[in-house]
Amino acid sequence: MLMITGATGALGTLVTARLADRDDVVIGSRSPAPGGRRVDFDDPATLDFTGVDTLLVISAGAAEDDVVITRHEAVISAAEKAGVGHLVYTSLSGDGDHLTYALAHRWTERRLRGSSLEWTVLRNGLYAEFLAAVAAPGPDGTIAAPLGTGRLAAVAREDLADVAVRVATDPAPHSGRTYELVGEQALGGADLAAALDATYEPATLAATREAITAAGQALPFQVPMLLSTYSAIAGGFLDRTDDGTLRSLLGREPRPAIEAYMASVRG
Ligand SMILES: NC(=O)c1ccc[n+]([C@@H]2O[C@H](COP(=O)([O-])OP(=O)(O)OC[C@H]3O[C@@H](n4cnc5c(N)ncnc54)[C@H](OP(=O)(O)O)[C@@H]3O)[C@@H](O)[C@H]2O)c1
């Protein structure tokens, strides 16, 4: 049996859609549809993985580090206890170490390496769709995201779903492997603006921090998450493109990240 956690999130939805015709797949979520199983890393009583051969753990990363670490400790411990054969974990690309949210991913990777489980780490690069969420043009047609002249080797979320499905449905050849999954093209603010016929006028980090805070929609921990994302891109830390790993695991050309970005901006 293959179980997917976090199945109703954006990545989880793409993964489960690809597995819809299989009867050996169980959907795990905090709010599962009929036929699925309630799996909430914050509620240990829901972490019964008896009979699960492969567990695809979609990281539950939108929280403070201590919360994410506690969640991931709970799910790995429960998998060990139940004798799960193989755990596949969606992590963050290695060049993302300057991002504030890298710490909990690296903690989880280290925990997995020391576990009794067979494991595979999918180090997902930042999604093109995430870039659309943080670097879309405003109502005046200007992209003000503080990317400087930096670029991001963004990757289409659908490609990451395809890789997750490929690995999770045949995990044995991937045991003990950590895959860096970044896009083939690095995109900067000028590239995004050109694609959308917009203009690119990057704001300062200070002005961006102020605007995010003033908008009142970000939780306190999300402000440094966002700022570190901009800063790491602007600093040129996230522009290393695919070394062939993504293409090879997909068995085809990756989807162009700029198209995923444009589609996401246009909704
Ligand atoms: N590479 C990137 O650009 C990028 C961007 C954003 C986030 N991420 C990371 O990648 C993960 C998946 O991305 P996404 O786009 O699918 O994010 P998303 O749409 O925000 O989904 C968040 C996921 O976290 C799960 N989750 C949250 N709290 C949980 C808990 N207590 N127990 C179990 N699961 C919990 C949700 O599962 P259910 O609601 O179904 O239970 C959902 O699948 C995120 O959680 C985050 O760690 C990566």
Side-chain angles (χ1 to χ4, degrees), residues 48-253:
D48 178 3
F49 301 127
T50 309
V52 174
D53 302 301
T54 304
L55 185 65
L56 171 60
V57 174
I58 294 184
S59 57
E64 299 280 4
D65 286 345
D66 56 351
V67 173
V68 179
I69 287 171
T70 302
R71 284 175 180 167
H72 291 175
E73 168 61 29
V75 70
I76 293 170
S77 292
E80 288 180 309
K81 193 171 156 206
V84 167
H86 197 121
L87 191 151
V88 180
Y89 172 69
T90 64
S91 187
L92 170 71
S93 58
D95 54 9
D97 275 343
H98 294 283
L99 302 166
T100 59
Y101 39 101
L103 187 145
H105 285 295
R106 300 296 172 250
W107 184 94
T108 307
E109 293 181 6
R110 192 180 61 191
R111 173 70 179 85
L112 268 181
R113 285 195 299 272
S115 75
S116 59
L117 301 162
E118 299 290 322
W119 55 266
T120 305
V121 169
L122 304 177
R123 282 188 163 180
N124 290 347
L126 295 186
Y127 312 142
E129 294 81 358
F130 178 62
L131 189 58
V134 301
D140 64 350
T142 300
I143 295 174
L147 307 176
T149 55
R151 292 178 173 208
L152 170 67
V155 55
R157 201 193 260 119
E158 293 212 52
D159 282 348
L160 297 173
D162 284 334
V163 171
V165 167
R166 175 160 185 190
V167 170
T169 52
D170 182 22
H174 308 287
S175 184
R177 303 292 301 272
T178 297
Y179 294 120
E180 297 286 344
L181 302 170
V182 293
E184 288 194 340
Q185 287 166 337
L187 302 173
D191 304 312
L192 306 180
L196 291 172
D197 208 14
T199 52
Y200 177 50
E201 291 173 21
T204 62
L205 283 173
T208 304
R209 186 185 296 272
E210 219 168 278
I212 291 170
T213 307
Q217 285 171 345
L219 294 167
F221 73 87
Q222 289 175 319
V223 179
M225 272 184 161
L226 284 165
L227 269 291
S228 72
T229 302
Y230 291 130
S231 199
I233 296 172
F237 288 101
L238 292 172
D239 62 2
R240 195 186 56 200
T241 51
D242 182 34
D243 61 1
T245 306
L246 176 67
R247 183 179 276 253
S248 157
L249 284 166
L250 287 170
R252 59 164 172 79
E253 200 175 321

